[in-house]
Amino acid sequence: MAAIHSIPTIAERIAQHPCYSEQAHQYARIHLPVAPACNIQCNYCNRKFDCSNESRPGVVSKLLSPADAVKRFVAIKERMPNLKVVGIAGPGDALANPNKTFATLKAIQEVSDDVQLCISTNGLQLEDYVDDLVDAGVHHLTITLNTLEPTIAQYLYAWIYYQGKRITGLEAAQTLIERQVAGLRAASEAGLLLKVNTVLVPGVTDQSIDKLAQFLKSENVFLHNIMPLISDPAHGTAFGLHGIRGPNDDELLEARIQAGVDMKQMTHCQQCRADAVGTLAPSPCAETAASTIKVAVASKDGKVIDQHFGHAQQFWIFEVSTSRVRFIECRSVEQYCQDKEECDTSDDLPAAIATIQDCAQVLSVRMGMAPWQQAEAIGLQPVTDYAYQPLTESLKKIQALLPVTPSLAEVS
Ligand code: CLF
Ligand code: SF4
């Protein structure tokens, strides 16, 4: 008798998908490159390379037929039992190649009930295929949505091909956004677990990133992945050839902070290729835990440290190491100070402190004696030296104070 598998819960689906959960790094994913064509032309893409929305332009992928793709999956799954996700992410657009995409998904379902199916798309044809995706057993869906503003989007796309016509300019931008929003809503209503990718182009998509994040939240999108534009003239993209640059680390951090007000941010994306396989394990040169700390910041807007600890209703959480400052999330808290005559000095840890107790430091404008002592007692160091200073600059000053872990060569 065949084994009966219980249907995984949403929490289990997230916990076994290395892109949707950073804690799922022990699980591997494979991309099957079965989708060569695309129905739009992004100015950051050169068709000779993989889809820039879900992969890093690099060596041209070897296209596979659905039959060969399944053979590849079976061979790798045998050697890699932790392979839990099969994705179709190009090298063009999965839904611009519906026959190949759905033939591959169906065949994978026939040979394995131990993997989750994942699709990435630019969203132009998504609404037409939501039911098919559900029928094919797809639960995880990524849509690249760069902006909701057609006047911004017109800089990003050279053309779209829709209903038998090539459309350019503002009309193309408007049509694409309308179709993306309709597809996203249909997918959300159908219960698909949604992730949105946004390519960060300084001076372009960063202009509307906060509004986009508000919209994603209202549509129940689970995760937002802001990906830095990769713009190398050698890749031959329109942006690369015209000198449109990608964001620097500070610009990327700023964008994630702004969008992080409303949306959980993905920060472990590897911008992988359309034929990638393996885990998203942290790179071997990543710092040791000893040289990495978490810092909580009391700020209203994520730009300036402008909140008294007792009045803060949200803390911005960062991971600070000697090599980088990484935004993790924005946590809402119950305000510590309830405008009573005296602060709460009971033994119970106040919610505002309990919420950030995994952090090593908390930055605020001021902090009362009672919460200061309660924080120190659990190893959370209050810091008020950066009151009213810009948040990212302050974090860099904290970074500069971190002890440098000796490299292996220095350890005898
Ligand atoms: Fe692939 Fe994308 Fe599915 Fe992941 S990738 S289709 S959701 S299985 Fe992951 Fe790669 Fe980043 Fe994509 S690290 S580029 S987010
Ligand atoms: Fe390239 Fe992907 Fe944009 Fe299509 S959707 S043009 S493959 S980046």
Side-chain angles (χ1 to χ4, degrees):
M1 202 169 94
I4 297 172
H5 291 269
S6 57
I7 297 172
T9 63
I10 290 181
E12 285 166 344
R13 290 191 187 287
I14 294 167
Q16 290 201 355
H17 194 306
C19 303
Y20 281 64
S21 167
E22 195 168 359
Q23 279 68 48
H25 49 74
Q26 70 273 37
Y27 298 114
R29 51 83 180 93
I30 183 171
H31 283 168
L32 299 176
V34 297
C38 192
N39 44 14
I40 71 176
Q41 178 61 62
C42 304
N43 286 330
Y44 45 79
C45 174
N46 175 353
R47 291 282 162 64
K48 278 193 285 182
F49 301 97
D50 294 335
C51 174
S52 313
N53 290 332
E54 197 71 356
S55 56
R56 178 179 51 226
V59 182
V60 178
S61 308
K62 182 178 183 303
L63 282 173
L64 294 178
S65 67
D68 286 342
V70 175
K71 277 188 208 148
R72 175 168 158 80
F73 163 73
V74 170
I76 290 176
K77 176 75 175 158
E78 268 174 22
R79 299 199 310 265
M80 204 182 268
N82 63 335
L83 179 58
K84 292 289 183 185
V85 175
V86 175
I88 298 180
D93 187 79
L95 298 181
N97 302 263
N99 293 343
K100 290 174 179 155
T101 292
F102 286 105
T104 306
L105 294 172
K106 186 163 175 281
I108 294 289
Q109 283 244 304
E110 281 165 8
V111 296
S112 175
D113 58 4
D114 183 36
V115 288
Q116 310 197 78
L117 302 177
C118 194
I119 290 289
S120 114
T121 177
N122 59 40
L124 181 64
Q125 295 296 149
L126 175 57
E127 192 183 20
D128 304 332
Y129 291 111
V130 166
D131 291 344
D132 298 293
L133 290 170
V134 172
D135 289 348
V138 173
H139 291 98
H140 298 77
L141 179 77
T142 295
I143 307 165
T144 297
L145 184 52
N146 292 317
T147 179
L148 295 171
E149 311 279 341
T151 50
I152 293 177
Q154 67 178 336
Y155 292 110
L156 303 173
Y157 307 106
W159 51 259
I160 68 168
Y161 190 77
Y162 184 60
Q163 294 185 330
K165 274 195 318 199
R166 182 181 285 235
I167 308 172
T168 58
L170 197 57
E171 188 190 351
Q174 256 159 352
T175 307
L176 178 61
I177 291 169
E178 276 167 24
R179 300 318 307 148
Q180 288 172 322
V181 168
L184 187 149
R185 289 201 167 123
S188 179
E189 278 164 23
L192 289 164
L193 200 53
L194 298 181
K195 173 166 80 62
V196 161
N197 285 356
T198 299
V199 179
L200 189 67
V201 186
V204 184
T205 54
D206 54 358
Q207 302 300 303
S208 59
I209 205 87
D210 47 354
K211 284 199 188 116
L212 176 63
Q214 284 162 18
F215 168 75
L216 301 183
K217 182 183 183 188
S218 71
E219 298 295 332
N220 296 319
V221 173
F222 174 72
L223 192 61
H224 191 196
N225 179 19
I226 299 178
M227 312 168 88
L229 168 71
I230 299 172
S231 186
D232 181 338
H235 295 151
T237 66
F239 277 177
L241 294 173
H242 286 93
I244 308 292
R245 67 173 178 87
N248 59 34
D249 289 351
D250 286 357
E251 288 165 335
L252 183 59
L253 183 63
E254 284 292 339
R256 286 177 173 160
I257 292 171
Q258 292 308 308
V261 176
D262 292 295
M263 280 303 301
K264 183 176 164 58
Q265 294 291 302
M266 177 179 188
T267 57
H268 64 291
C269 176
Q270 297 198 344
Q271 294 183 263
C272 43
R273 295 159 41 110
D275 55 2
V277 58
T279 63
L280 303 183
S283 70
C285 59
E287 285 87 359
T288 61
S291 61
T292 304
I293 60 168
K294 269 194 208 161
V295 177
V297 185
S299 167
K300 253 192 191 150
D301 59 2
K303 291 183 177 161
V304 175
I305 301 168
D306 59 359
Q307 291 287 286
H308 288 224
F309 176 85
H311 296 160
Q313 295 182 343
Q314 61 194 9
F315 286 100
W316 305 75
I317 311 296
F318 296 85
E319 190 181 80
V320 182
S321 69
T322 46
S323 68
R324 66 174 181 168
V325 174
R326 186 168 76 103
F327 170 64
I328 300 178
E329 62 192 351
C330 184
R331 293 182 192 163
S332 297
V333 293
E334 188 185 311
Q335 194 171 309
Y336 178 91
C337 176
Q338 301 292 331
D339 291 330
K340 289 183 288 191
E341 297 248 315
E342 289 183 7
C343 292
D344 183 2
T345 52
S346 67
D347 287 344
D348 291 344
L349 205 53
I353 295 178
T355 306
I356 55 171
Q357 62 180 320
D358 56 324
C359 297
Q361 299 183 13
V362 54
L363 278 50
S364 66
V365 168
R366 260 189 22 216
M367 195 165 178
M369 187 62 78
W372 189 294
Q373 287 172 345
Q374 288 164 322
E376 275 192 334
I378 60 161
L380 171 62
Q381 181 58 52
V383 178
T384 53
D385 300 351
Y386 306 106
Y388 299 111
Q389 292 190 27
L391 195 156
T392 46
E393 283 174 28
S394 304
L395 289 169
K396 281 192 180 159
K397 289 178 187 159
I398 287 173
Q399 182 184 36
L401 297 173
L402 285 178
V404 178
T405 310
S407 67
L408 285 178
E410 291 168 300
V411 179
S412 55

